[in-house]
Amino acid sequence: MKIYLDHGATTPVDNEVLKAMKPYFNEKYGNASSVHSFGDEAREALDKSRKVIADTINADPSEIIFTSGGTESNNFAIKEIAFDTKKRHIITTTFEHPAVKSVCKFLEEKLCFKITHLPVGNDGVVKIDDLKKAITEDTFLVTIMHANNEIGTINPIEEIGKICREKRIIFHTDAVQSFGKLNIDVKKMNIDLMSMSAHKIYGPKGIGALYVRKGIKLNPMFQGGSQEFKKRPGTENIPGIVGFAKAAEIANNRMEKDNEKMRELRDILIDGVLDTIPSSALNGSAEKRMTNNANIRFDYVEGESMLMHLNLKGIACSTGSACSSQSLQPSHVLKAIGLSDEQSHGSLRFTLGRQTTKKDINYLLKVLPPIIENLRKMSPLYKCR
Ligand SMILES: *Cc1c(COP(=O)(O)O)cnc(C)c1O
């Protein structure tokens, strides 16, 4: 039995995506900049893919720049805006993905930018009033994620965008967890810059995009050729781009159905766990939450031990994010919503996907309670409670 409940970390490539990509490795392998039929084929695929991605978010194809993924898109957007202004103040949150958090830290420590981290409260959602209060004459950029990767909570992006537009402040959002899963309309939401990635939506790893609204000036992050409107040089990853577009198209088509099914399974999971395991609680808002995310804390137990025991039973999930679980630091996201270090260490993230079945969830609900009971029996914290 092998059950994958870590779709927030990455997803398998959809078979149709794989099929769409295949010819571009060794049949239609041209360089999109070449002036012959091989180049034409590649260029056509590139243009078509760009239009597909643009259409899913109500953007123009000229506003989509392909990158190597979410990390690059975040770096690109935040740094290039910062490097091109005299202002010094950036507003972000306490619970961003490391690819935003550490870019802000870099700008603060190395280049003397001022960073305000908006709190997110127990529910894991930014408050509009906090944003309003944080804005100063010196603010040039607001970077706030759409959906959080660890706890799955969803920020009021449309309202944030509205305020930024009114104040003429550039608004960037890391939409890697929401793109393809929530309806996104960059115009209606007043988004200026938005990061996307393919591998969280059943596309290949190493490809993503940055939406750059017409009128936002963005210098290239590297110097090189004239690919991607001279903003992102380097020979285009055509198989990846084709796969990304296919994945986005599929995700868009089945968005409602997928969400409906996952919400049902997620709620069975959450209710089942909270009903059967004492001293357990959901982290973050239950309502303003992605349909695929259940992040639950278990007091008096250690996440890594739970993870290992679940792994022995064939269940894959995570503590915090895939990135932070490499270190033993408590998750900054769980800290941001008010959890103690112990509570953070005792939290598990289950992220469901398209293949997840009721049987999978039932199996989890069967094996998890005894694992926790046994670990608590060995826990001095539990005995002394
Ligand atoms: C996965 C993820 C990223 C990083 O994207 P990559 O394509 O893996 O570089 C950035 N932000 C969020 C919210 C993510 O979940």
Side-chain angles (χ1 to χ4, degrees), residues 8 68-72 74 97 99 145 147 149 174 176-177 197 199-200:
S68 67
T71 301
E72 183 186 325
N74 286 339
H97 186 275
M145 70 197 321
N149 47 300
D174 175 349
V176 171
Q177 286 291 337
S197 181
H199 77 96
K200 305 281 171 76

Side-chain angles (χ1 to χ4, degrees), residues 357-374:
T357 61
K358 201 164 184 172
K359 214 172 126 214
D360 296 341
I361 303 300
N362 286 336
Y363 176 69
L364 170 72
L365 292 174
K366 196 179 88 192
V367 304
L368 186 59
I371 288 176
I372 292 183
E373 205 183 312
N374 285 331

Side-chain angles (χ1 to χ4, degrees), residues 157-183:
I157 288 306
E158 192 170 342
E159 289 166 85
I160 295 169
K162 190 161 167 267
I163 289 162
C164 292
R165 192 62 56 88
E166 280 167 14
K167 302 272 184 191
R168 296 169 181 271
I169 295 167
I170 295 176
F171 174 40
H172 166 255
T173 188
D174 175 349
V176 171
Q177 286 291 337
S178 57
F179 175 73
K181 303 190 189 106
L182 297 177
N183 274 312

Side-chain angles (χ1 to χ4, degrees), residues 224-264:
S226 56
Q227 294 92 347
E228 299 299 293
F229 316 109
K230 297 191 180 147
K231 289 193 203 301
R232 205 279 187 176
T235 303
E236 300 87 346
N237 171 3
I238 302 294
I241 288 168
V242 167
F244 181 22
K246 192 67 182 176
E249 188 184 313
I250 295 171
N252 214 45
N253 290 339
R254 41 185 300 171
M255 191 184 290
E256 231 168 280
K257 256 195 162 153
D258 279 354
N259 275 329
E260 200 177 309
K261 186 189 141 195
M262 275 188 297
R263 181 181 290 113
E264 188 193 329

Side-chain angles (χ1 to χ4, degrees), residues 106-343:
F106 165 82
L107 292 173
E108 184 176 41
E109 288 177 355
K110 303 270 187 219
L111 300 168
C112 304
F113 283 86
K114 283 178 294 216
I115 315 285
T116 296
H117 296 89
L118 300 180
V120 289
N122 297 134
D123 60 353
V125 179
V126 168
K127 312 290 171 291
I128 292 299
D129 271 349
D130 291 334
L131 171 65
K132 282 184 183 162
K133 276 184 228 150
I135 293 173
T136 72
E137 286 291 307
D138 202 29
T139 311
F140 64 93
L141 177 69
V142 168
T143 173
I144 294 179
M145 70 197 321
H146 191 186
N148 183 273
N149 47 300
E150 288 187 38
I151 53 177
T153 53
I154 303 166
N155 280 317
I157 288 306
E158 192 170 342
E159 289 166 85
I160 295 169
K162 190 161 167 267
I163 289 162
C164 292
R165 192 62 56 88
E166 280 167 14
K167 302 272 184 191
R168 296 169 181 271
I169 295 167
I170 295 176
F171 174 40
H172 166 255
T173 188
D174 175 349
V176 171
Q177 286 291 337
S178 57
F179 175 73
K181 303 190 189 106
L182 297 177
N183 274 312
I184 297 179
D185 180 327
V186 288
K187 292 204 173 71
K188 196 171 139 215
M189 293 170 153
N190 289 309
I191 295 167
D192 294 314
L193 297 153
M194 184 173 86
S195 303
M196 298 163 264
S197 181
H199 77 96
K200 305 281 171 76
I201 59 161
Y202 306 88
K205 293 167 184 60
I207 186 76
L210 179 67
Y211 160 78
V212 183
R213 183 172 70 82
K214 246 184 231 137
I216 298 289
K217 185 174 161 253
L218 202 71
N219 290 320
M221 193 155 73
F222 339 111
Q223 278 58 54
S226 56
Q227 294 92 347
E228 299 299 293
F229 316 109
K230 297 191 180 147
K231 289 193 203 301
R232 205 279 187 176
T235 303
E236 300 87 346
N237 171 3
I238 302 294
I241 288 168
V242 167
F244 181 22
K246 192 67 182 176
E249 188 184 313
I250 295 171
N252 214 45
N253 290 339
R254 41 185 300 171
M255 191 184 290
E256 231 168 280
K257 256 195 162 153
D258 279 354
N259 275 329
E260 200 177 309
K261 186 189 141 195
M262 275 188 297
R263 181 181 290 113
E264 188 193 329
L265 293 179
R266 179 202 65 186
D267 290 344
I268 295 174
L269 192 168
I270 294 173
D271 295 344
V273 167
L274 301 191
D275 284 351
T276 54
I277 303 177
S279 300
S280 63
L282 184 68
N283 290 325
S285 167
E287 297 82 33
K288 291 175 187 157
R289 182 179 206 94
M290 298 296 289
T291 58
N292 70 338
N293 179 299
N295 190 313
I296 302 175
R297 65 177 180 269
F298 304 93
D299 292 343
Y300 318 111
V301 246
E302 224 272 308
E304 304 293 315
S305 327
M306 290 188 277
L307 205 65
M308 269 163 27
H309 282 90
L310 283 171
N311 189 41
L312 289 173
K313 297 280 182 194
I315 296 172
C317 63
S318 77
T319 56
S321 74
C323 327
S324 67
S325 54
Q326 292 292 325
S327 65
L328 284 172
Q329 291 291 319
S331 147
H332 72 282
V333 172
L334 298 177
K335 253 189 146 138
I337 61 166
L339 267 61
S340 67
D341 285 2
E342 286 76 23
Q343 286 174 319

